[in-house]
Amino acid sequence: MLILTGQRRCEIGGLEWSEINLAAKQIELPAKRCKNGRPHIVPLTDLAISLLPERREGHRHLFGKKPRQPFSGWSQTKRRLNQRLGADFAPWTLHDLRRSFVTHLNELGIAEPHIVEAIVNHVSGVKGGVAGIYNRAAYLPERRKALEAWSGVISSLRQPVTTSGCRVIFEKQPMVGGQNFSVDDRILSNLRHPRTRDRITHNDVAARPHR
């Protein structure tokens, strides 16, 4: 869910059923749940909807074990995910998912920069000022189109093209060096490695919280 939506982990981990509008296929976050204090709409693709858990009696949150508390086991979940990825997978952080989301939507030409900022609820440019406080639906059609395209990219992790023994996910070459080496590029790099290319599916990188 983190890599499909590009949202902050506290926003996804703390999702409540009252914030899910399945009829409109979107998340509707109130201002109090957003870092910038502004309400936010997140379009949901079919792939994202497929990751939503079943409703549990007495639980208002989608994720998390306790009825009245949101999901909080990020460190433990990431540790289990790292074990599944294997020792050859380069170190990464949960924030890399959000940063990589922004990077690749821009680099792959999926959306214009101001649309990407609207998706992740960054406030700048035309969304700044008083108008931005109330216009939570700004660029909603464009945001939905971009997330559908991004969902298609992520879906390719489940059905990769096999070429000369390698699983090809993106046509772009991975970035190299230091902090600029994004998690998605690491995925591509690891999939090219003969010891790890058959291990990873989209479920490994979606960082779906355990119920």
Side-chain angles (χ1 to χ4, degrees), residues 56-119:
R56 298 166 293 168
E57 185 176 355
H59 288 252
R60 76 170 189 262
H61 296 95
L62 277 69
F63 308 112
K65 295 180 179 179
K66 298 182 179 180
R68 300 183 182 279
Q69 295 183 13
F71 179 82
S72 60
W74 294 106
S75 296
Q76 183 179 6
T77 301
K78 183 178 180 297
R79 188 160 48 248
R80 288 198 296 266
L81 181 55
N82 281 337
Q83 290 173 352
R84 293 181 62 187
L85 293 173
D88 293 324
F89 201 81
W92 62 285
T93 67
L94 287 171
H95 187 69
D96 281 333
L97 300 180
R98 181 172 166 87
R99 184 171 56 80
S100 295
F101 175 92
V102 171
T103 297
H104 287 298
L105 258 65
N106 280 296
E107 288 191 351
L108 296 175
I110 290 176
E112 295 294 326
H114 65 283
I115 302 299
V116 178
E117 290 208 343
I119 292 172

Side-chain angles (χ1 to χ4, degrees), residues 44-208:
L44 288 172
T45 64
D46 290 339
L47 181 55
I49 290 174
S50 74
L51 295 179
L52 299 179
E54 296 180 358
R55 296 194 70 148
R56 298 166 293 168
E57 185 176 355
H59 288 252
R60 76 170 189 262
H61 296 95
L62 277 69
F63 308 112
K65 295 180 179 179
K66 298 182 179 180
R68 300 183 182 279
Q69 295 183 13
F71 179 82
S72 60
W74 294 106
S75 296
Q76 183 179 6
T77 301
K78 183 178 180 297
R79 188 160 48 248
R80 288 198 296 266
L81 181 55
N82 281 337
Q83 290 173 352
R84 293 181 62 187
L85 293 173
D88 293 324
F89 201 81
W92 62 285
T93 67
L94 287 171
H95 187 69
D96 281 333
L97 300 180
R98 181 172 166 87
R99 184 171 56 80
S100 295
F101 175 92
V102 171
T103 297
H104 287 298
L105 258 65
N106 280 296
E107 288 191 351
L108 296 175
I110 290 176
E112 295 294 326
H114 65 283
I115 302 299
V116 178
E117 290 208 343
I119 292 172
V120 297
N121 203 16
H122 282 169
V123 179
S124 65
V126 296
K127 284 204 72 178
V130 175
I133 297 176
Y134 300 100
N135 194 10
R136 66 173 181 166
Y139 309 114
L140 188 56
E142 293 87 351
R143 283 189 273 161
R144 191 176 296 278
K145 182 179 179 180
L147 286 170
E148 289 287 355
W150 177 241
S151 183
V153 173
I154 298 303
S155 292
S156 70
L157 292 173
R158 302 178 66 182
Q159 298 176 327
V161 178
T162 301
T163 305
S164 302
C166 297
R167 298 174 108 182
V168 180
I169 305 304
F170 303 115
E171 293 181 359
K172 65 186 288 295
Q173 293 298 313
M175 294 183 289
V176 293
Q179 297 299 315
N180 292 325
F181 199 63
S182 72
V183 65
D184 293 313
D185 292 317
R186 292 170 190 155
I187 292 169
L188 176 57
S189 177
N190 278 272
L191 288 174
R192 284 174 172 161
H193 195 289
R195 291 180 54 192
T196 60
R197 67 171 182 264
D198 293 324
R199 295 182 190 173
I200 304 172
T201 69
H202 91 291
N203 291 321
D204 296 313
V205 297
R208 176 185 178 181

